[in-house]
Amino acid sequence: APRMSAVNHRMVAETSIAVLGSHTVIVESDPGSPSIRNPDNRKALAALDWAPRVELRAGLETLAEFLSATVDK
């Protein structure tokens, strides 16, 4: 399986905006403070032998296509 790069909340937000073609502006309430949510998959890998198999952008593109096909139907 290919090695997935580390992903943080800002990367998810920025990639989501790009994939969806949104004009959303990201505003951090306290940019100097560390994020409460900083996901780390090492625990899941150790306990469950789980690791992501899909890169962030590809997964968000698939999700956007699915939602486009199913929402408001």
Side-chain angles (χ1 to χ4, degrees):
R3 171 126 170 87
M4 299 292 137
S5 58
V7 174
N8 62 40
H9 67 283
R10 185 158 191 99
M11 290 170 64
V12 172
E14 290 172 349
T15 306
S16 297
I17 289 168
V19 166
L20 298 173
S22 173
H23 300 289
T24 303
V25 176
I26 300 170
V27 178
E28 294 186 44
S29 59
D30 188 0
S33 72
S35 172
I36 295 171
R37 303 210 183 268
N38 191 4
D40 184 343
N41 292 330
R42 289 179 292 186
K43 194 178 219 181
L45 179 60
L48 306 171
D49 194 31
W50 177 89
R53 296 179 296 178
V54 177
E55 288 287 341
L56 175 63
R57 184 175 191 94
L60 289 172
E61 288 171 346
T62 300
L63 176 62
E65 290 170 11
F66 169 78
L67 292 174
S68 177
T70 58
V71 173
D72 295 329
K73 301 264 177 194

